[in-house]
Amino acid sequence: MSAVLGLLSRGPSVLGPVRSASSLQRNHRFATRSCSMSKTAGPGLRPLEGIRVLDLTRVLAGPFATMILGDLGAEVIKVERPDVGDDTRAWGPPFVANESVYFLSVNRNKKSVCVDLKHPSGVTIVQELAQRCDVLVENFLPGKLDKMSLGYEDLSRLNPQLIYCSISGYGQSGPRSQTPGYDSIASAMSGMMHITGPEGGEPVRPGVAMTDLAAGLYAHGAVMAALLQRQRTGTGSHIDCNLLSAQVSCLSHIAANYLNCGWEARRWGTAHESIVPYQAFTTKDGHVVVAAGNDKQFVKVCQVLHLRELTEEPRYRTNKLRVQNRKQLIETLSHRFRQHTTSEWLRFFEGSGVPVGPINSIQEVFCDTQVKHNNLIREMKHPTAGLIRVPGPAVHYSSFEPPEATPPPLIGQHTVQVLRNTLSYTDDAIKSLLASKVVAQNVAS
């Protein structure tokens, strides 16, 4: 407790009112209330209503994780560098007005606060915010925040119930821990690129940053688990989430094939190493993917293609045999698929029980009737960009309907609001902080 009082009782300054022991007790009561939200939440409330998240992340993995937490009802306070902000604010084209579409895609339901972490007063602001938050998510190089008194050990002393999630490239310790993490590098090192690309061709980077997104999903799940654990124990925890581990864990059966059988994976294009036919075929006007996962489905494929003689061919009787004789079978099927359009094949396969689907362009994705039915397009009114559309949450719940999302924030849009309402700073203290450039407020907001 003395360490807490030493931090907060520095006397009058531009940092706002002195924090007393009674204010710390209020913080404890707030955290305790958050711990027991599930006991008091009524029907229709989102699962994380009343949970406050301090977001010290930028780019993709961290912002993606905190956006999901925001979708679930958490109040997310995003701390950004004055003038510059999240790196992705400059990633474009495309831009809508002056806003990067990349940034807009992963930052809804957040408040933006600009704080200079190089200034001691800026560090103190973040320390005070951490005391009033349930969760902190950061993706700084391991050890950097420790040097600024913003690491887990320092902040957990101020707020023992804080869940502190660190997202890095390779982990908080180990030979590569001090190497900056980038999706493409982790994707390469994890083996993801080695198994992605055309058969016999060069390695290919996936079309989206799947390693970042996988780490973000792991981080979101870990935070949810830590919140549940805190409800039982009353204490927070430190979560170590990294890109390399996230992607290696997602190698799934490819990894198990090597670990158990010594099989080294290779690139198969759209095909499957262990199932035939299970790949894309070229049609008269596009591509169709066929996934015959068992022998009965293979028979159905042959019936739809009017190639029933293949079902009597000894080389193709079982999946094991089809894998061994892949080349001859795929040549025969490929010749047949080129004789009709994609839409015709989809119609021919309808009701057959064989999983099939087209390879859609992005335009075709958002014209798809099921995508529309699943409400996967989220519209928001942005203060400068106007009406924007982004992919919405992938999961729906019977217990609540998500309210209208708040648009991704302007840089520093909520600085004054958070200082005044969350930290109870006086107007004079806020003016002093703005004048000294410890914080910045967006003038357009």
Side-chain angles (χ1 to χ4, degrees):
M1 182 64 75
S2 60
V4 176
L5 293 176
L7 168 70
L8 297 180
S9 302
R10 296 180 177 178
S13 72
V14 297
L15 298 180
V18 174
R19 306 298 192 249
S20 65
S22 61
S23 70
L24 295 176
Q25 293 170 354
R26 287 195 298 272
N27 291 341
H28 177 75
R29 286 197 298 271
F30 169 80
T32 302
R33 178 182 60 82
S34 298
C35 253
S36 59
M37 284 299 295
S38 64
K39 298 179 181 178
T40 59
L45 284 178
R46 290 176 292 175
L48 297 185
E49 295 280 356
I51 297 296
R52 183 178 288 151
V53 177
L54 186 57
D55 183 359
L56 303 183
T57 70
R58 64 270 188 211
V59 188
L60 183 55
F64 185 58
T66 56
M67 181 179 70
I68 299 173
L69 299 176
D71 287 338
L72 293 174
E75 176 190 2
V76 181
I77 300 174
K78 182 179 179 72
V79 176
E80 301 190 71
R81 294 171 292 172
D83 300 322
V84 178
D86 190 312
D87 301 52
T88 59
R89 287 188 181 274
W91 286 11
F95 294 91
V96 179
N98 292 320
E99 305 297 328
S100 159
V101 174
Y102 199 117
F103 177 85
L104 296 177
S105 70
V106 288
N107 284 286
R108 64 176 174 265
N109 292 325
K110 299 180 184 180
K111 299 174 180 178
S112 173
V113 176
C114 281
V115 180
D116 183 2
L117 295 184
K118 295 181 180 180
H119 195 291
S121 298
V123 170
T124 302
I125 290 172
V126 174
Q127 289 172 332
E128 293 182 334
L129 283 171
Q131 291 180 73
R132 290 156 177 78
C133 288
D134 300 273
V135 178
L136 183 151
V137 187
E138 59 90 9
N139 62 351
F140 283 76
L141 198 67
K144 186 170 183 179
L145 289 180
D146 294 290
K147 296 176 181 178
M148 303 165 63
S149 299
L150 294 175
Y152 173 69
E153 296 298 330
D154 290 299
L155 296 186
S156 64
R157 281 194 292 268
L158 301 178
N159 180 2
Q161 293 184 322
L162 181 67
I163 293 164
Y164 191 111
C165 178
S166 296
I167 303 175
S168 62
Y170 305 97
Q172 295 299 298
S173 61
R176 293 189 177 272
S177 62
Q178 293 305 299
T179 303
Y182 291 89
D183 171 88
S184 59
I185 308 302
S187 178
M189 290 185 59
S190 68
M192 180 66 169
M193 283 193 189
H194 177 72
I195 62 174
T196 304
E199 184 178 0
E202 293 294 313
V204 171
R205 175 184 177 273
V208 293
M210 287 308 304
T211 302
D212 266 339
L213 296 172
L217 287 169
Y218 264 113
H220 146 253
V223 167
M224 298 295 284
L227 284 168
L228 180 60
Q229 184 183 48
R230 188 186 72 171
Q231 186 176 13
R232 294 170 173 169
T233 66
T235 59
S237 56
H238 188 197
I239 297 168
D240 178 359
C241 180
N242 68 84
L243 306 187
L244 180 65
S245 296
Q247 190 58 75
V248 169
S249 73
C250 287
L251 291 179
S252 184
H253 70 283
I254 297 296
N257 288 347
Y258 170 76
L259 294 172
N260 293 282
C261 303
W263 284 13
E264 176 59 76
R266 62 187 182 92
R267 291 177 287 284
W268 286 97
T270 65
H272 195 290
E273 181 179 24
S274 304
I275 309 173
V276 175
Y278 199 108
Q279 66 180 74
F281 292 93
T282 301
T283 67
K284 187 180 287 187
D285 64 348
H287 299 85
V288 63
V289 176
V290 176
N294 56 53
D295 295 336
K296 289 184 179 180
Q297 289 179 342
F298 172 66
V299 171
K300 288 289 186 179
V301 169
C302 295
Q303 291 174 349
V304 172
L305 270 59
H306 297 296
L307 294 173
R308 290 180 175 82
E309 64 273 15
L310 295 180
T311 64
E312 303 300 325
E313 172 61 55
R315 294 177 298 171
Y316 307 144
R317 286 283 177 85
T318 67
N319 180 69
K320 182 178 179 180
L321 291 169
R322 291 193 295 275
V323 170
Q324 293 172 356
N325 298 284
R326 176 195 303 265
K327 184 176 180 181
Q328 305 95 310
L329 176 58
I330 295 303
E331 285 180 356
T332 302
L333 299 180
S334 296
H335 176 75
R336 183 74 178 99
F337 273 107
R338 291 191 184 96
Q339 297 174 11
H340 291 282
T341 66
T342 298
S343 61
E344 288 173 334
W345 282 121
L346 294 176
R347 188 169 68 253
F348 296 157
F349 273 98
E350 190 171 348
S352 68
V354 177
V356 297
I359 295 182
N360 285 332
S361 67
I362 303 304
Q363 179 183 14
E364 290 168 334
V365 169
F366 290 105
C367 290
D368 186 271
T369 55
Q370 189 65 49
V371 170
K372 291 180 178 179
H373 174 80
N374 289 353
N375 195 27
L376 286 169
I377 303 173
R378 181 61 59 92
E379 293 187 347
M380 293 165 285
K381 185 71 173 179
H382 191 273
T384 60
L387 183 66
I388 62 171
R389 298 178 179 88
V390 297
V395 179
H396 297 273
Y397 301 82
S398 64
S399 57
F400 71 94
E401 284 291 331
E404 184 176 346
T406 60
L410 300 173
I411 182 172
Q413 180 178 346
H414 304 93
T415 301
V416 170
Q417 178 191 123
V418 169
L419 291 176
R420 179 183 293 127
N421 297 341
T422 305
L423 296 182
S424 301
Y425 279 21
T426 66
D427 288 342
D428 287 342
I430 293 172
K431 289 178 182 178
S432 296
L433 287 167
L434 291 169
S436 62
K437 297 186 178 180
V438 174
V439 302
Q441 169 70 30
N442 192 294
V443 295
S445 56

